[in-house]
C-alpha cells in the first residue's frame, strides 16, 4: 500500500495549527475555516482524491450537494480497467473488490446475422477487466473516509468560488442554515457534468468539444443471475447490452429514442425489446424478472480544456463525459485522480508546481483516447435514426473488418482495456 513521505505529514501538523485558529465572524455570522484542498463533489472522483490526500496527511474538505443516502443509492458504472483496480489496491481500497468483484477476460459483441466477436483484453494486454458496481465502490470510499475519522459535508447549497486564479482561493456555501467561508490552497472540481466548478472558469479560458447522440440508454437492474459475459448486441432496431453486478444481480440496457419516457416502458415491453436484439441462443439464456430499478440516460461526448484554471483543477465527469458504450467514465475519473493526487502530493512534498502544471495535458491524453474508443464503439453498435443504406453498409464493413483482421482485434482490445498511465 502506498505510504506518504514524512514532509507531507509535517505539513499536516502546520495546517492543523491553522485549523485551530478557526474563527467565528461575529459580524456576518459566517463560519470561516481553512484547509489545504477543497474537493467539490463526493462521487468516485472526489472521494478517491479525499482518501488519497488524507492518507498522505494533506488536509481536505469534501463538499457534496446531495445527501449521503442519495449518493450511495445511485446506480451507474460496472466495469473497471486493470489500471483502475491497481490504483484502488495501491490505496487500500480493493479488499471487497478482490473478494467479490468478478474477473473478466474481456467483453463480447454479438451481431444480427453475423458471428460474434470477443474483445479479448486478457489475450492482448495480459491483464483482465473487473465487474464491480460503482455503487459498491462508492460505499467502499465512504467507509474508508469514515474509518480515517473524516466526513463529507453533504447537502451544501449556494456554493460559490472566489479568487480561483490567485494563490488564495476560497469558497462560500450554506449548510444546515449556516453560512461558511472556506479558504484553501487548491480546489478540486469533482462535481460531475452538471456541477458548478467547470462553470466557474471564465469562458475566455475554456474550450469545449462535444457530440450529443440522437438516442439514449434505458437501463434496468434485475435480481436474476447474469449471462457470463458483458455482451453488446447490435441489431437493426437498436443496441442492447447485458451487464452484471454480482452472481444474483444483472443490469441490462437497450438503445431507445431520446424522446422516450420511463413510464412508457413497463418491464414486459423492455424484455420483449431486449430479447429480440440478442441472437436466439443467447436470448434463451437471459433470465428475465421484475426490475428493481429503471432509468434513462442520454448519450453524450464532451471534453472541456484545459482541466485547470489557476488553483482550480477539474477531474472526472466535471471535465469530460463519454457515452457509456466503452465503459470508460468511472475509469477516467480514477485516472484523473491518480494524476491529480500525484501532482498535489509532489507540490506539498517539494514545493514544485511542475506536475500541477502538466496535470491537464497528462490527463487529457487518456481522456481523448477514451473519447475516441467510446465514440467509435457507439457508432459501431447503434443504428442512427433514419440512417441510409450507405451508413448501414459501412457499419457492417467495419464489423467485418474486426472479424477478419487480427490487427483490428488487437487495437480494439488495447483501447477497451484503457491507455496505460504512462
Ligand atoms: P459523479 O459520479 O457525477 O459525482 C459528482 C458528484 O458531485 C456532486 N455535485 C456537487 N457537489 C457539491 N456542489 C455542487 N454544486 C455539486 N454538483 C454536483 C454530485 O451530487 C455527485 O455526487 O462524477 P465523478 O465522481 O466524476 O464520477 C464519474 C462517474 O460517475 C461516471 O463517469 C460513470 O458512472 C460513467 N459510467 C460508466 N463508467 C465506467 O467507467 N464504466 C461503466 O461501466 C459505466 N457505465 C456510466 C455507466 C454512467 C451511466 N450514466 C447513468 C450516465 C452507465 C451509465 C448508465
Ligand atoms: C454496466 O455494467 O453498467 C456497463 C457495462 C458496460 C458498459 C456500460 C455499462 O459499456
Amino acid at each position: 500500500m502506498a505510504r506518504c513521505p514524512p514532509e507531507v505529514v509535517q505539513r499536516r501538523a502546520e495546517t492543523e495549527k491553522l485549523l485551530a485558529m478557526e474563527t467565528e465572524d461575529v459580524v456576518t455570522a459566517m463560519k470561516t475555516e481553512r484547509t489545504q484542498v477543497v474537493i467539490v463533489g463526493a462521487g468516485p472522483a472526489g472521494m478517491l482524491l479525499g482518501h488519497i490526500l488524507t492518507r498522505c496527511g494533506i488536509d481536505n474538505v469534501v463538499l457534496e450537494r446531495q445527501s449521503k443516502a442519495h449518493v450511495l443509492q445511485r446506480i451507474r458504472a460496472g466495469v473497471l480497467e486493470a489500471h483502475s483496480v491497481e490504483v484502488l489496491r495501491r490505496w487500500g481500497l480493493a479488499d471487497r473488490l478482490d473478494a467479490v468483484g468478478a474477473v473478466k477476460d474481456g467483453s463480447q459483441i454479438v451481431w444480427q446475422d453475423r458471428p460474434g466477436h470477443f474483445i479479448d483484453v486478457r489475450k492482448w494486454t495480459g491483464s483482465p477487466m473487473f465487474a464491480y458496481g460503482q455503487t459498491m465502490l462508492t460505499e467502499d470510499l465512504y467507509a474508508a473516509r469514515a474509518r480515517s475519522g473524516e466526513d463529507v459535508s453533504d447537502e451544501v447549497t449556494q456554493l460559490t468560488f472566489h479568487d480561483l486564479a490567485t494563490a488564495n482561493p476560497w469558497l462560500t456555501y450554506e449548510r444546515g442554515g449556516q453560512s461558511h467561508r472556506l479558504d484553501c490552497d487548491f480546489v478540486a472540481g469533482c462535481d460531475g457534468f452538471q456541477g458548478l466548478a467547470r462553470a466557474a472558469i471564465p469562458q475566455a479560458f475554456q474550450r469545449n468539444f462535444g457530440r450529443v447522440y440522437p438516442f439514449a440508454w434505458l437501463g434496468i437492474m434485475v435480481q436474476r443471475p447474469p449471462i457470463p459475459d458483458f455482451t453488446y448486441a447490435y441489431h437493426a432496431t437498436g443496441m442492447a447490452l447485458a451487464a452484471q453486478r454480482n452472481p444474483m444481480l444483472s443490469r441490462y440496457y437497450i438503445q431507445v429514442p431520446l424522446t422516450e419516457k420511463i413510464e412508457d416502458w413497463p418491464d414486459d415491453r423492455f424484455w420483449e425489446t431486449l430479447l429480440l436484439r440478442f441472437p436466439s441462443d443467447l436470448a434463451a439464456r437471459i433470465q428475465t424478472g421484475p426490475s428493481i430499478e429503471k432509468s434513462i440516460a442520454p448519450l453524450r461526448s464532451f471534453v472541456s480544456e484545459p482541466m485547470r484554471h489557476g488553483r482550480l483543477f477539474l477531474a472526472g465527469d466535471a471535465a469530460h463525459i463519454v457515452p457509456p458504450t466503452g465503459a470508460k467514465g468511472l475509469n477516467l475519473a480514477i485516472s484523473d485522480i491518480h494524476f491529480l493526487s500525484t501532482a498535489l502530493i509532489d507540490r506539498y512534498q517539494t514545493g514544485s508546481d511542475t506536475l500541477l502544471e502538466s496535470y491537464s495535458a497528462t490527463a487529457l491524453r487518456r481522456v481523448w483516447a477514451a473519447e475516441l474508443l467510446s465514440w467509435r464503439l457507439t457508432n459501431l453498435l447503434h443504428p442512427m435514426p433514419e440512417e441510409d443504406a450507405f451508413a448501414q453498409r459501412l457499419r457492417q464493413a467495419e464489423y467485418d473488418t474486426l472479424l477478419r483482421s487480427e490487427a483490428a482485434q488487437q487495437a480494439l482490445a488495447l483501447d477497451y482495456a484503457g491507455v496505460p498511465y504512462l
Side-chain angles (χ1 to χ4, degrees), residues 145-217:
R145 191 160 181 90
R147 272 197 306 278
S148 66
E150 304 289 330
D151 59 7
V152 171
S153 295
D154 66 354
E155 300 189 76
V156 305
T157 59
Q158 311 294 324
L159 184 76
T160 312
F161 300 82
H162 306 270
D163 294 341
L164 290 171
T166 74
N168 300 299
W170 51 288
L171 294 88
T172 48
Y173 62 94
E174 304 277 323
R175 184 168 186 244
Q178 168 77 57
S179 302
H180 293 258
R181 170 178 172 144
L182 189 51
D183 292 86
C184 59
D185 300 331
F186 300 102
V187 180
C190 304
D191 52 350
F193 184 63
Q194 308 287 354
L196 299 175
R198 191 178 65 249
I201 302 178
Q203 280 187 1
F205 294 97
Q206 201 180 31
R207 193 150 174 222
N208 295 334
F209 306 83
R211 286 276 180 284
V212 176
Y213 299 86
F215 43 78
W217 279 19

Coordinates of all heavy atoms in Angstrom, one line a residue, residues 145-217:
R145 N -13.4 6.8 4.2 CA -13.3 8.1 4.8 C -13.8 8.1 6.2 O -13.2 8.8 7.1 CB -14.2 9.1 4.0 CG -13.9 10.5 4.3 CD -14.3 11.5 3.2 NE -14.0 12.9 3.7 CZ -12.8 13.5 3.4 NH1 -11.9 12.9 2.7 NH2 -12.6 14.8 3.8
A146 N -14.8 7.4 6.5 CA -15.3 7.3 7.9 C -14.2 6.7 8.8 O -14.0 7.2 9.9 CB -16.6 6.5 8.0
R147 N -13.6 5.6 8.3 CA -12.5 5.0 9.1 C -11.4 5.9 9.4 O -10.7 5.8 10.5 CB -11.9 3.8 8.3 CG -12.7 2.5 8.6 CD -11.9 1.3 8.2 NE -11.4 1.3 6.8 CZ -12.1 1.0 5.8 NH1 -13.3 0.5 5.9 NH2 -11.5 1.0 4.6
S148 N -11.1 6.9 8.5 CA -10.0 7.8 8.8 C -10.4 8.9 9.6 O -9.6 9.9 9.8 CB -9.4 8.2 7.4 OG -10.3 9.0 6.8
G149 N -11.6 8.9 10.1 CA -12.1 10.0 11.0 C -12.5 11.2 10.3 O -12.8 12.2 11.0
E150 N -12.6 11.2 9.0 CA -13.0 12.4 8.3 C -14.5 12.2 7.8 O -15.0 11.1 7.8 CB -12.2 12.6 7.0 CG -10.7 12.7 7.2 CD -10.3 14.0 7.9 OE1 -10.9 15.0 7.7 OE2 -9.3 14.0 8.7
D151 N -15.2 13.3 7.5 CA -16.5 13.1 7.0 C -16.7 13.9 5.6 O -15.7 14.4 5.1 CB -17.6 13.6 8.0 CG -17.3 15.1 8.3 OD1 -16.5 15.7 7.7 OD2 -18.0 15.6 9.3
V152 N -17.9 13.8 5.2 CA -18.3 14.5 3.9 C -19.3 15.6 4.4 O -20.2 15.3 5.1 CB -18.9 13.6 2.9 CG1 -19.5 14.4 1.7 CG2 -17.9 12.5 2.5
S153 N -19.0 16.9 4.0 CA -20.0 17.9 4.2 C -21.1 17.8 3.1 O -20.9 18.3 2.0 CB -19.4 19.3 4.2 OG -18.5 19.4 5.3
D154 N -22.2 17.1 3.5 CA -23.2 16.9 2.4 C -24.3 18.0 2.5 O -24.3 18.8 3.4 CB -23.7 15.5 2.4 CG -24.5 15.2 3.7 OD1 -24.6 16.1 4.6 OD2 -25.1 14.1 3.8
E155 N -25.2 17.9 1.5 CA -26.3 18.9 1.4 C -25.9 20.3 1.5 O -26.5 21.1 2.2 CB -27.3 18.5 2.4 CG -27.9 17.1 2.3 CD -29.1 16.8 3.1 OE1 -30.2 17.2 2.8 OE2 -28.9 16.1 4.1
V156 N -24.7 20.7 0.8 CA -24.3 22.1 0.8 C -25.1 22.8 -0.4 O -25.4 22.2 -1.4 CB -22.8 22.3 0.6 CG1 -22.0 21.5 1.6 CG2 -22.4 21.9 -0.8
T157 N -25.4 24.0 -0.1 CA -26.1 24.8 -1.2 C -25.4 26.2 -1.3 O -24.5 26.5 -0.6 CB -27.6 25.1 -0.8 OG1 -27.6 25.8 0.5 CG2 -28.4 23.8 -0.6
Q158 N -25.8 26.9 -2.3 CA -25.2 28.3 -2.6 C -23.7 28.3 -2.7 O -23.1 29.2 -2.3 CB -25.6 29.2 -1.4 CG -27.1 29.2 -1.0 CD -27.9 29.7 -2.1 OE1 -27.6 30.7 -2.8 NE2 -29.1 29.2 -2.3
L159 N -23.2 27.2 -3.3 CA -21.7 27.1 -3.4 C -21.2 28.2 -4.4 O -21.7 28.3 -5.5 CB -21.3 25.7 -3.9 CG -19.8 25.5 -4.0 CD1 -19.2 25.3 -2.6 CD2 -19.6 24.3 -4.9
T160 N -20.2 29.0 -4.0 CA -19.6 30.0 -4.9 C -18.1 30.0 -4.8 O -17.6 29.8 -3.7 CB -20.2 31.4 -4.5 OG1 -21.6 31.3 -4.4 CG2 -19.8 32.4 -5.6
F161 N -17.5 30.1 -5.9 CA -16.0 30.0 -6.0 C -15.5 31.5 -6.0 O -16.0 32.3 -6.7 CB -15.5 29.3 -7.2 CG -16.0 27.9 -7.3 CD1 -17.3 27.5 -7.8 CD2 -15.2 26.8 -6.9 CE1 -17.7 26.2 -7.9 CE2 -15.6 25.5 -7.0 CZ -16.8 25.2 -7.5
H162 N -14.4 31.7 -5.3 CA -13.8 33.1 -5.3 C -12.3 33.0 -5.5 O -11.6 32.1 -5.0 CB -14.0 33.7 -3.9 CG -15.4 33.8 -3.5 ND1 -16.3 34.8 -3.8 CD2 -16.2 32.9 -2.8 CE1 -17.5 34.5 -3.3 NE2 -17.4 33.4 -2.7
D163 N -11.8 34.0 -6.3 CA -10.3 34.2 -6.4 C -9.6 32.9 -6.9 O -8.5 32.6 -6.4 CB -9.7 34.7 -5.1 CG -10.2 36.1 -4.8 OD1 -10.7 36.8 -5.7 OD2 -10.1 36.5 -3.6
L164 N -10.2 32.2 -7.8 CA -9.6 30.9 -8.2 C -8.2 31.1 -8.9 O -7.4 30.2 -8.9 CB -10.5 30.2 -9.2 CG -11.8 29.6 -8.6 CD1 -12.7 29.1 -9.6 CD2 -11.4 28.5 -7.6
A165 N -8.1 32.2 -9.6 CA -6.8 32.5 -10.3 C -5.7 33.1 -9.5 O -4.7 33.5 -10.0 CB -7.2 33.4 -11.5
T166 N -6.0 33.2 -8.2 CA -5.0 33.7 -7.3 C -4.4 32.6 -6.4 O -4.8 31.4 -6.5 CB -5.6 34.7 -6.3 OG1 -6.3 34.1 -5.3 CG2 -6.4 35.7 -7.0
A167 N -3.4 32.9 -5.6 CA -2.8 31.9 -4.7 C -3.6 31.6 -3.5 O -3.3 30.7 -2.7 CB -1.4 32.3 -4.3
N168 N -4.7 32.4 -3.3 CA -5.6 32.2 -2.1 C -7.0 32.1 -2.5 O -7.9 32.9 -2.2 CB -5.4 33.5 -1.2 CG -4.0 33.6 -0.8 OD1 -3.4 32.7 -0.1 ND2 -3.3 34.7 -1.2
P169 N -7.4 30.9 -3.1 CA -8.8 30.8 -3.5 C -9.6 30.5 -2.2 O -9.1 30.1 -1.2 CB -8.7 29.5 -4.4 CG -7.5 28.8 -4.0 CD -6.5 29.8 -3.5
W170 N -10.9 30.8 -2.4 CA -11.8 30.5 -1.3 C -13.2 30.2 -1.8 O -13.5 30.6 -2.9 CB -11.8 31.6 -0.2 CG -12.0 33.0 -0.7 CD1 -11.1 33.8 -1.4 CD2 -13.2 33.8 -0.5 NE1 -11.7 35.0 -1.7 CE2 -12.9 35.1 -1.1 CE3 -14.4 33.6 0.1 CZ2 -13.8 36.1 -1.2 CZ3 -15.3 34.7 0.1 CH2 -15.0 35.9 -0.5
L171 N -14.0 29.6 -1.0 CA -15.4 29.2 -1.4 C -16.3 29.7 -0.3 O -16.0 29.7 0.9 CB -15.5 27.7 -1.6 CG -14.8 27.1 -2.7 CD1 -13.4 26.7 -2.3 CD2 -15.5 25.9 -3.2
T172 N -17.5 30.0 -0.7 CA -18.6 30.2 0.3 C -19.7 29.2 0.0 O -20.0 28.9 -1.2 CB -19.1 31.6 0.2 OG1 -19.4 32.0 -1.1 CG2 -18.1 32.6 0.8
Y173 N -20.4 28.8 1.0 CA -21.6 27.9 0.8 C -22.5 28.0 2.1 O -22.1 28.5 3.1 CB -21.1 26.5 0.6 CG -20.3 25.9 1.6 CD1 -20.9 25.0 2.6 CD2 -18.9 26.0 1.7 CE1 -20.2 24.4 3.6 CE2 -18.2 25.4 2.7 CZ -18.8 24.7 3.7 OH -18.1 24.1 4.7
E174 N -23.6 27.4 1.9 CA -24.6 27.3 3.1 C -24.7 25.8 3.4 O -24.8 24.9 2.5 CB -26.0 27.8 2.7 CG -26.0 29.2 2.1 CD -26.1 30.2 3.3 OE1 -26.8 29.9 4.3 OE2 -25.5 31.3 3.1
R175 N -24.8 25.5 4.7 CA -25.1 24.1 5.1 C -25.8 24.1 6.4 O -25.4 24.7 7.4 CB -23.8 23.3 5.3 CG -24.0 21.9 5.6 CD -22.8 21.0 5.4 NE -23.1 19.6 5.6 CZ -22.6 18.9 6.6 NH1 -21.8 19.4 7.5 NH2 -23.0 17.6 6.7
G176 N -27.0 23.5 6.4 CA -27.8 23.4 7.7 C -28.1 24.8 8.2 O -28.1 25.0 9.5
G177 N -28.4 25.8 7.4 CA -28.7 27.1 7.8 C -27.5 28.0 8.2 O -27.7 29.1 8.7
Q178 N -26.3 27.5 8.1 CA -25.1 28.2 8.5 C -24.4 28.6 7.2 O -24.2 27.8 6.3 CB -24.2 27.3 9.3 CG -22.8 27.8 9.6 CD -22.8 28.9 10.7 OE1 -23.2 28.7 11.8 NE2 -22.2 30.0 10.3
S179 N -23.9 29.9 7.2 CA -23.1 30.3 6.1 C -21.6 30.0 6.4 O -21.2 30.1 7.5 CB -23.2 31.8 5.9 OG -24.5 32.2 5.6
H180 N -20.9 29.5 5.4 CA -19.5 29.1 5.6 C -18.6 29.9 4.6 O -19.0 30.1 3.4 CB -19.3 27.6 5.3 CG -20.0 26.8 6.3 ND1 -19.3 26.2 7.3 CD2 -21.3 26.4 6.4 CE1 -20.1 25.4 8.1 NE2 -21.3 25.6 7.5
R181 N -17.4 30.2 5.0 CA -16.3 30.6 4.1 C -15.1 29.6 4.4 O -14.8 29.3 5.5 CB -15.8 32.0 4.5 CG -14.5 32.3 3.7 CD -14.0 33.7 4.0 NE -12.7 33.9 3.3 CZ -12.3 35.0 2.8 NH1 -13.0 36.0 2.7 NH2 -11.1 35.0 2.2
L182 N -14.6 29.1 3.2 CA -13.6 28.0 3.3 C -12.4 28.5 2.5 O -12.5 28.6 1.3 CB -14.1 26.7 2.8 CG -13.3 25.4 3.0 CD1 -12.9 25.3 4.4 CD2 -14.2 24.2 2.6
D183 N -11.3 28.8 3.1 CA -10.1 29.2 2.4 C -9.2 28.0 2.2 O -9.2 27.1 3.0 CB -9.3 30.2 3.3 CG -10.0 31.6 3.4 OD1 -10.9 31.7 4.3 OD2 -9.8 32.4 2.6
C184 N -8.4 28.0 1.1 CA -7.6 26.8 0.8 C -6.5 27.2 -0.1 O -6.3 28.3 -0.5 CB -8.5 25.8 0.1 SG -9.3 26.4 -1.4
D185 N -5.7 26.1 -0.3 CA -4.6 26.3 -1.3 C -5.0 25.9 -2.7 O -4.6 26.6 -3.7 CB -3.4 25.3 -1.0 CG -2.8 25.6 0.4 OD1 -2.9 26.7 0.9 OD2 -2.3 24.6 1.0
F186 N -5.8 24.9 -2.8 CA -6.3 24.3 -4.1 C -7.7 23.9 -4.0 O -8.2 23.5 -3.0 CB -5.4 23.1 -4.5 CG -4.0 23.5 -4.7 CD1 -3.1 23.1 -3.7 CD2 -3.5 24.2 -5.8 CE1 -1.7 23.4 -3.8 CE2 -2.1 24.5 -5.9 CZ -1.3 24.1 -4.9
V187 N -8.4 23.9 -5.2 CA -9.8 23.4 -5.3 C -9.8 22.3 -6.3 O -9.3 22.5 -7.5 CB -10.8 24.6 -5.7 CG1 -12.2 24.0 -5.8 CG2 -10.7 25.7 -4.8
A188 N -10.4 21.2 -6.0 CA -10.6 20.1 -7.0 C -12.1 20.1 -7.3 O -12.9 19.9 -6.5 CB -10.2 18.8 -6.4
G189 N -12.4 20.4 -8.6 CA -13.8 20.4 -9.1 C -14.1 18.9 -9.5 O -13.8 18.5 -10.7
C190 N -14.7 18.2 -8.7 CA -15.1 16.8 -8.9 C -16.6 16.7 -8.9 O -17.2 15.7 -8.4 CB -14.5 15.9 -7.9 SG -12.7 16.0 -7.8
D191 N -17.3 17.7 -9.4 CA -18.8 17.8 -9.1 C -19.6 17.3 -10.3 O -20.7 17.7 -10.5 CB -19.2 19.2 -8.6 CG -18.7 20.3 -9.5 OD1 -17.8 20.0 -10.4 OD2 -19.1 21.4 -9.3
G192 N -19.0 16.5 -11.2 CA -19.8 15.9 -12.3 C -20.2 16.8 -13.4 O -19.8 18.0 -13.3
F193 N -20.9 16.3 -14.4 CA -21.2 17.1 -15.6 C -22.1 18.3 -15.3 O -21.9 19.3 -15.9 CB -21.8 16.1 -16.6 CG -22.1 16.8 -17.9 CD1 -21.0 17.3 -18.7 CD2 -23.4 17.0 -18.4 CE1 -21.3 17.9 -19.9 CE2 -23.6 17.6 -19.6 CZ -22.5 18.1 -20.3
Q194 N -23.0 18.1 -14.3 CA -24.0 19.2 -14.0 C -23.4 20.1 -12.9 O -24.2 21.0 -12.5 CB -25.3 18.6 -13.6 CG -25.9 17.6 -14.5 CD -26.5 18.2 -15.8 OE1 -26.5 19.4 -15.9 NE2 -26.9 17.3 -16.7
G195 N -22.2 20.0 -12.5 CA -21.7 20.7 -11.4 C -21.4 22.2 -11.7 O -21.6 22.6 -12.8
L196 N -20.9 22.9 -10.7 CA -20.6 24.3 -10.8 C -19.2 24.6 -11.1 O -18.8 25.8 -11.5 CB -21.0 25.0 -9.5 CG -22.5 24.9 -9.1 CD1 -22.7 25.5 -7.7 CD2 -23.4 25.5 -10.2
A197 N -18.2 23.7 -10.8 CA -16.8 24.0 -10.9 C -16.4 24.4 -12.3 O -15.8 25.5 -12.5 CB -16.0 22.8 -10.5
R198 N -16.8 23.6 -13.3 CA -16.4 24.0 -14.7 C -17.0 25.3 -15.1 O -16.3 26.1 -15.8 CB -17.0 22.9 -15.7 CG -16.4 23.0 -17.1 CD -16.9 21.9 -18.0 NE -18.3 21.9 -18.2 CZ -19.2 21.0 -17.8 NH1 -18.8 20.0 -17.0 NH2 -20.5 21.2 -18.0
A199 N -18.2 25.6 -14.6 CA -18.9 26.9 -15.0 C -18.2 28.1 -14.3 O -18.4 29.2 -14.7 CB -20.3 26.8 -14.6
A200 N -17.3 27.8 -13.3 CA -16.6 28.9 -12.6 C -15.4 29.4 -13.4 O -14.8 30.4 -13.1 CB -16.2 28.4 -11.2
I201 N -15.1 28.6 -14.5 CA -13.9 29.0 -15.3 C -14.4 30.0 -16.4 O -15.4 29.7 -17.1 CB -13.3 27.8 -16.0 CG1 -12.8 26.8 -15.0 CG2 -12.1 28.3 -16.9 CD1 -12.3 25.5 -15.6
P202 N -13.8 31.2 -16.4 CA -14.3 32.2 -17.4 C -14.2 31.6 -18.8 O -13.2 30.9 -19.2 CB -13.3 33.4 -17.3 CG -12.7 33.2 -15.9 CD -12.7 31.7 -15.6
Q203 N -15.2 31.9 -19.7 CA -15.3 31.2 -21.0 C -14.1 31.5 -21.8 O -13.7 30.7 -22.7 CB -16.5 31.7 -21.7 CG -17.7 30.9 -21.2 CD -19.0 31.2 -22.0 OE1 -19.0 32.0 -22.9 NE2 -20.1 30.6 -21.6
A204 N -13.4 32.7 -21.6 CA -12.3 33.0 -22.4 C -11.1 32.0 -22.2 O -10.2 31.9 -23.0 CB -11.8 34.4 -22.1
F205 N -11.1 31.3 -21.1 CA -10.0 30.4 -20.8 C -10.4 29.0 -21.0 O -9.6 28.1 -20.7 CB -9.6 30.6 -19.3 CG -9.1 31.9 -18.9 CD1 -9.9 32.9 -18.4 CD2 -7.7 32.2 -19.2 CE1 -9.4 34.1 -18.1 CE2 -7.2 33.4 -18.9 CZ -8.0 34.4 -18.3
Q206 N -11.5 28.7 -21.6 CA -12.0 27.4 -21.7 C -12.5 27.0 -23.1 O -13.0 27.9 -23.8 CB -13.3 27.3 -20.8 CG -13.7 26.0 -20.4 CD -15.0 26.2 -19.5 OE1 -15.8 27.1 -19.7 NE2 -15.1 25.3 -18.5
R207 N -12.2 25.8 -23.6 CA -12.7 25.4 -24.9 C -13.4 24.1 -24.7 O -12.9 23.1 -24.1 CB -11.5 25.2 -25.8 CG -11.9 25.1 -27.2 CD -10.9 25.6 -28.2 NE -11.5 25.3 -29.5 CZ -10.8 24.9 -30.5 NH1 -9.5 24.7 -30.4 NH2 -11.4 24.6 -31.6
N208 N -14.6 24.0 -25.2 CA -15.4 22.8 -25.1 C -15.6 22.1 -26.4 O -15.7 22.7 -27.4 CB -16.8 23.1 -24.5 CG -16.7 23.7 -23.1 OD1 -15.8 23.4 -22.4 ND2 -17.7 24.5 -22.7
F209 N -15.6 20.8 -26.3 CA -15.7 19.9 -27.5 C -16.8 18.9 -27.2 O -16.9 18.4 -26.1 CB -14.4 19.2 -27.9 CG -13.2 20.0 -28.0 CD1 -12.5 20.5 -26.8 CD2 -12.8 20.5 -29.2 CE1 -11.4 21.2 -26.9 CE2 -11.6 21.3 -29.3 CZ -11.0 21.7 -28.2
G210 N -17.6 18.6 -28.2 CA -18.6 17.5 -27.9 C -19.5 17.1 -29.0 O -19.5 17.7 -30.1
R211 N -20.3 16.0 -28.7 CA -21.3 15.5 -29.6 C -22.5 15.1 -28.7 O -22.3 14.5 -27.6 CB -20.8 14.2 -30.2 CG -19.9 14.3 -31.3 CD -20.6 14.6 -32.7 NE -19.6 14.8 -33.7 CZ -18.9 15.8 -33.9 NH1 -19.0 16.9 -33.2 NH2 -18.0 15.9 -34.9
V212 N -23.7 15.3 -29.1 CA -24.9 14.8 -28.5 C -25.4 13.7 -29.4 O -25.6 14.0 -30.6 CB -25.9 15.9 -28.2 CG1 -27.2 15.3 -27.6 CG2 -25.3 16.9 -27.2
Y213 N -25.7 12.5 -28.9 CA -26.2 11.5 -29.8 C -27.7 11.5 -29.8 O -28.3 11.8 -28.8 CB -25.6 10.1 -29.3 CG -24.1 10.1 -29.3 CD1 -23.4 10.5 -28.2 CD2 -23.4 9.6 -30.4 CE1 -22.0 10.5 -28.2 CE2 -22.0 9.6 -30.4 CZ -21.3 10.1 -29.3 OH -20.0 10.1 -29.3
P214 N -28.3 11.0 -30.9 CA -29.7 11.1 -31.1 C -30.5 9.9 -30.5 O -31.5 9.5 -31.0 CB -29.9 11.2 -32.6 CG -28.8 10.5 -33.2 CD -27.6 10.6 -32.2
F215 N -30.0 9.4 -29.4 CA -30.7 8.3 -28.7 C -30.2 8.2 -27.2 O -29.2 9.0 -26.9 CB -30.4 7.0 -29.4 CG -29.0 6.8 -29.8 CD1 -28.0 6.4 -28.9 CD2 -28.6 6.9 -31.2 CE1 -26.7 6.2 -29.3 CE2 -27.3 6.8 -31.6 CZ -26.3 6.4 -30.6
A216 N -30.8 7.4 -26.5 CA -30.5 7.2 -25.0 C -30.4 5.7 -24.7 O -30.7 4.9 -25.5 CB -31.6 7.9 -24.2
W217 N -29.9 5.5 -23.5 CA -29.9 4.1 -23.0 C -31.0 4.0 -21.9 O -31.0 4.8 -20.9 CB -28.6 3.7 -22.4 CG -27.6 3.3 -23.3 CD1 -27.5 3.5 -24.7 CD2 -26.4 2.5 -23.0 NE1 -26.4 3.0 -25.2 CE2 -25.7 2.3 -24.3 CE3 -25.8 2.0 -21.9 CZ2 -24.4 1.7 -24.3 CZ3 -24.6 1.3 -22.0 CH2 -23.9 1.1 -23.2

